[in-house]
Amino acid sequence: MLKRTLMGLLRSHELTGDKAKDPLLKSHYYKLSKDKAWEEVVSTLKKMQGYKVLHEVQSVGEIVLEKRTVTGRTMDITVSVIAVNPVTSAVDIYSASRGSFGDLGSNYRIILDIYRTLDKKLSAYKTSGA
């Protein structure tokens, strides 16, 4: 976590994906069709404390959230629901801080928080990959 804080002095964004070096930032896969995964993810995100859903576009599978930190900074978060095949979907997250300077690792922590919540809600459908 110290490494993330030090990296956060310079970086003000974080994203997940299949090729992420950090295993905690790898894409999360669920054995659900894209439509079913979309419904579950949107309903879960709307219930999360401190996050505000600004925009959702089901056709492209993106949900845009906003989170305000205790220090008054605003984080913009994009959650993508991607159909891998007819029965499997992936969820990726991009989080960025508004303003200059780094985020001290808060984008990293936000991504882990969202994944933890989604994994808890969708634990029955979690899978290791496509």
Side-chain angles (χ1 to χ4, degrees):
M1 210 44 125
L2 177 65
K3 178 184 164 196
R4 282 281 154 197
T5 305
L6 293 174
M7 283 173 57
L9 290 171
L10 304 171
R11 288 174 54 178
S12 60
H13 70 280
E14 197 67 66
L15 71 154
T16 65
D18 282 340
K19 294 178 172 66
K21 287 185 178 90
D22 185 331
L24 295 175
L25 293 179
K26 295 238 184 250
S27 301
H28 284 214
Y29 292 89
Y30 303 98
K31 280 247 180 266
L32 288 167
S33 67
K34 183 183 177 197
D35 291 337
K36 186 70 179 144
W38 170 265
E39 290 171 23
E40 295 289 345
V41 169
V42 169
S43 73
T44 303
L45 293 175
K46 285 182 175 178
K47 292 175 191 159
M48 286 183 72
Q49 293 287 318
Y51 295 87
K52 180 178 167 189
V53 175
L54 298 178
H55 194 64
E56 48 187 90
V57 184
Q58 185 170 1
S59 58
V60 290
E62 285 192 352
I63 305 129
V64 178
L65 305 161
E66 180 182 88
K67 178 173 176 57
R68 295 199 183 276
T69 63
V70 236
T71 58
R73 289 190 80 171
T74 303
M75 322 291 258
D76 294 309
I77 305 145
T78 303
V79 178
S80 302
V81 179
I82 304 137
V84 178
N85 59 45
V87 293
T88 308
S89 297
V91 175
D92 277 317
I93 304 169
Y94 176 82
S95 179
S97 304
R98 290 185 199 164
S100 57
F101 302 114
D103 64 2
L104 300 176
S106 59
N107 284 304
Y108 179 76
R109 290 188 297 277
I110 282 174
I111 288 174
L112 297 185
D113 180 42
I114 292 171
Y115 269 159
R116 213 175 0 261
T117 304
L118 289 175
D119 286 349
K120 195 182 300 178
K121 174 86 164 86
L122 303 171
S123 61
Y125 307 105
K126 181 108 170 76
T127 179
S128 58

